[in-house]
Amino acid sequence: QNLIDGLPALTSQVRNLTQDTVQIGSSDEISASDFQALETALRAFMPWRKGPFELFGIFIDTEWRSDWKWQRLQANIKPLKNRRVLDVGCGNGYFCWRMLGENARVVVGIDPLILNVMQFRLINKLHGGNPPVYLLPCGLEDLPDGLKAFDTVFSMGVLYHRRSPIDHLLELKASLAPGGELVLETLIIHGKAGESLVPTDRYANMRNVWFIPSIETLTGWLARCGFDNIRLIDTCPTTTEEQRSTGWMTSQSLSQSLDPLNPELTIEGHPAPIRAILLANSA
């Protein structure tokens, strides 16, 4: 917080939330000394995982090309204009800014990792103007029961980290207003109805992976939890072009998590990551 409070006093009318790189400010609006101070502060908040961002001419090349995921879902979801939106496990809020760029009425992101919260606060300060976008340091289970407050709820890259995926889906449903839309993105496997991968230890070097279902299994879970109008809009293997180490996230990434002799397998011998996006409505 001290780093954020000590940022140079910067203002700009450049706020581009509709392009792949979330842009705030431009390089011609900042002095050389302020540029250096801002870059130093931004690097103190490494690693940067979701993005990309360009902040007063400083390009943050994040681990994830999150814009690719946004491109896969943007044309298929119900338009966000004037909708109340919840982004569960939102990371540093990259998608929250993209949602605001689609003219959502209000966007609430939730994420329990304090580094993500502080990255968001830093970007929010640079944006200025009190935009209707918020990031709360909590998990979905911390929200009031039966909230039924949001028109669209996003859960992207969260389900496989939950010990009880059914409870997660029920909590998502409880946060949706009647008829609201769920946007669910998660790891999947190729398989039959009822099949899921349950790693005995790690999956792609991740410790906290519990259930990776087939699409048919996931569809069944959604139906069992009371969702309707369930439809698959995208499946896509995760590549080392979409998730990789960069100068802003220098630790190991996907390429170190795949079998070097067979990139269709993880280093543990499981099927390599494939992600699906499904939409469903709350009854």
Side-chain angles (χ1 to χ4, degrees):
Q1 188 61 56
N2 288 338
L3 281 170
I4 294 172
D5 292 342
L7 288 174
L10 302 171
T11 58
S12 175
Q13 297 303 310
V14 178
R15 298 167 181 162
N16 194 331
L17 309 180
T18 60
Q19 62 185 16
D20 293 343
T21 300
V22 169
Q23 181 187 8
I24 299 170
S26 63
S27 57
D28 58 7
E29 297 175 302
I30 188 171
S31 68
S33 60
D34 284 348
F35 183 96
Q36 183 60 52
L38 177 58
E39 183 173 21
T40 298
L42 291 170
R43 289 195 176 278
F45 284 90
M46 289 170 55
W48 288 82
R49 297 194 180 274
K50 291 186 180 181
F53 296 94
E54 183 181 329
L55 307 174
F56 287 90
I58 300 168
F59 180 69
I60 301 178
D61 187 15
T62 50
E63 177 187 17
W64 280 93
R65 287 295 308 267
S66 304
D67 51 313
W68 292 8
K69 186 180 296 186
W70 189 253
Q71 291 167 11
R72 291 194 284 265
L73 65 85
Q74 184 178 16
N76 295 284
I77 65 174
K78 192 172 182 67
L80 298 181
K81 186 175 182 179
N82 293 326
R83 289 171 76 86
R84 296 162 296 180
V85 181
L86 175 67
D87 186 4
V88 178
C90 64
N92 59 26
Y94 169 84
F95 292 115
C96 295
W97 293 110
R98 297 303 305 271
M99 295 165 192
L100 187 65
E102 296 297 314
N103 297 309
R105 180 191 305 179
V106 61
V107 180
V108 178
I110 56 174
D111 196 290
L113 184 62
I114 197 65
L115 176 62
N116 289 333
V117 177
M118 302 311 289
Q119 287 179 354
F120 170 82
R121 290 186 180 181
L122 189 159
I123 294 167
N124 192 41
K125 180 175 181 178
L126 295 176
H127 183 283
N130 297 315
V133 56
Y134 309 92
L135 202 164
L136 306 179
C138 64
L140 181 60
E141 64 277 8
D142 299 313
L143 297 186
D145 293 334
L147 196 59
K148 297 183 179 180
F150 295 97
D151 304 304
T152 304
V153 170
F154 290 80
S155 172
M156 300 191 291
V158 178
L159 184 69
Y160 48 88
H161 290 313
R162 309 305 295 167
R163 295 183 184 182
S164 174
I166 299 298
D167 284 340
H168 182 68
L169 295 176
L170 290 171
E171 290 165 351
L172 292 170
K173 187 172 183 290
S175 67
L176 275 165
E181 182 170 79
L182 171 67
V183 182
L184 179 66
E185 189 267 359
T186 189
L187 291 171
I188 57 98
I189 58 168
H190 294 306
K192 301 175 183 178
E195 293 183 346
S196 297
L197 171 65
V198 183
T200 56
D201 185 18
R202 298 190 183 199
Y203 174 83
N205 273 330
M206 294 185 288
R207 293 181 182 274
N208 58 337
V209 174
W210 295 90
F211 292 87
I212 305 178
S214 67
I215 291 172
E216 290 80 2
T217 298
L218 182 54
T219 300
W221 289 351
L222 288 163
R224 182 71 182 269
C225 290
F227 287 95
D228 57 20
N229 194 24
I230 303 163
R231 60 265 191 215
L232 174 70
I233 63 169
D234 185 80
T235 58
C236 183
T238 304
T239 68
T240 53
E241 287 75 37
E242 185 172 358
Q243 183 188 14
R244 70 273 192 266
S245 302
T246 74
W248 292 85
M249 202 300 293
T250 57
S251 57
Q252 291 188 349
S253 189
L254 180 60
S255 63
Q256 291 80 31
S257 302
L258 299 177
D259 185 331
L261 301 179
N262 183 0
E264 294 186 359
L265 298 175
T266 70
I267 199 166
E268 302 88 3
H270 300 304
I274 303 171
R275 292 176 176 267
I277 304 174
L278 291 88
L279 306 181
N281 292 99
S282 176

